[in-house]
Amino acid sequence: MNEWNENEQKFPKPGPVAAIVVMLLELGISFYVLSAAQYYLGMWGMVITELAFVVISLGAAWVVGLNIKEMLPFKRIQVNEFFGTIVIWAGALLLVLIVNLIFFYFFPEGLEVNVNINAFINSWPVIPALFVVAVMPAVCEEMLHRGFIQRCFMKKIKSKMLICIIMGLLFGLFHMDFYRFIGTAILGGILSYILITTDNFFYNMLFHFVNNFF
């Protein structure tokens, strides 16, 4: 289970090419399939979407032979890192709020998107809705982005800043929302920084969960 595939003759190695290919695959599936699932099935479509990200990330890891423990590194939780993650999230929230306010000043129609998102979430009772929009993305989306995609980039790119920039842009693109692109890109970059700094997958999941829960 640790080494899913080491046959370099038949499968590509984990690296930026694999990351980009999987990102394009995910965008294509999201645009043509998963968006339709959300449109017709509502929150159940969101459940299907999040589970699809798990399948994509684990399937991609199997194809390129990426070690699952390397892809999802978990270590003992440190108190200072735990609360440091919360502090970073609070600062990130303030920054994203300021950026979004400025953006919505020039593009006020973007506020309607937020209203539609809230109405979509409120179609379910609070507890199951929170599980779908806070818990599942913190696990499923992180497995795909900070797990497979970022780990592939880290195989070849040594600059932490460059990885954070790339991952931030990809995370913004992943949400396919013009009005929230900058905000989600900032969050994506910070999430990547947390994983690079701590090498503990728990903290970027914690950050993602707290942000979506809020």
Side-chain angles (χ1 to χ4, degrees):
M1 290 296 292
N2 291 341
E3 296 290 348
W4 288 7
N5 196 321
E6 296 181 344
N7 190 337
E8 298 180 359
Q9 300 299 318
K10 295 182 179 180
F11 296 102
K13 295 180 181 179
V17 173
I20 293 172
V21 168
V22 169
M23 183 69 193
L24 292 175
L25 175 65
E26 182 279 324
L27 289 175
I29 293 174
S30 293
F31 186 80
Y32 290 106
V33 179
L34 300 179
S35 59
Q38 294 177 34
Y39 180 82
Y40 290 107
L41 301 177
M43 288 291 284
W44 281 112
M46 182 65 71
V47 173
I48 294 173
T49 296
E50 296 297 333
L51 293 178
F53 297 150
V54 174
V55 173
I56 293 172
S57 57
L58 295 181
W62 178 79
V63 169
V64 303
L66 182 60
N67 189 314
I68 188 64
K69 289 186 177 181
E70 180 185 8
M71 175 177 151
L72 307 173
F74 284 97
K75 300 178 180 178
R76 180 177 298 179
I77 299 172
Q78 303 294 330
V79 174
N80 61 324
E81 292 178 338
F82 182 95
F83 287 103
T85 300
I86 301 300
V87 171
I88 291 174
W89 167 77
L93 174 66
L94 179 60
L95 175 60
V96 171
L97 286 176
I98 293 173
V99 169
N100 285 345
L101 284 175
I102 295 173
F103 194 84
F104 289 146
Y105 176 81
F106 294 100
F107 300 95
E109 61 272 18
L111 292 172
E112 184 178 347
V113 176
N114 287 338
V115 173
N116 293 334
I117 291 174
N118 288 333
F120 181 83
I121 295 172
N122 290 331
S123 64
W124 269 24
V126 174
I127 299 302
L130 284 175
F131 180 82
V132 175
V133 302
V135 177
M136 293 192 73
V139 177
C140 306
E141 293 177 14
E142 288 304 301
M143 284 184 65
L144 179 60
H145 286 265
R146 253 57 58 185
F148 180 82
I149 295 176
Q150 179 168 327
R151 189 60 60 178
C152 282
F153 278 118
M154 290 173 65
K155 289 287 186 179
K156 298 294 183 180
I157 301 176
K158 303 305 177 183
S159 171
K160 297 180 180 179
M161 179 64 69
L162 181 57
I163 290 177
C164 291
I165 292 173
I166 292 173
M167 292 303 301
L169 293 174
L170 291 180
F171 199 60
L173 182 63
F174 159 75
H175 283 83
M176 294 187 290
D177 186 341
F178 169 76
Y179 301 106
R180 294 191 299 159
F181 175 81
I182 298 177
T184 50
I186 291 172
L187 293 175
I190 294 173
L191 281 162
S192 297
Y193 171 79
I194 291 173
L195 179 59
I196 292 174
T197 303
T198 65
D199 196 34
N200 190 339
F201 204 75
F202 171 80
Y203 297 120
N204 46 291
M205 290 199 308
L206 172 66
F207 182 106
H208 203 145
F209 167 77
V210 172
N211 185 74
N212 285 26
F213 182 89
F214 179 82

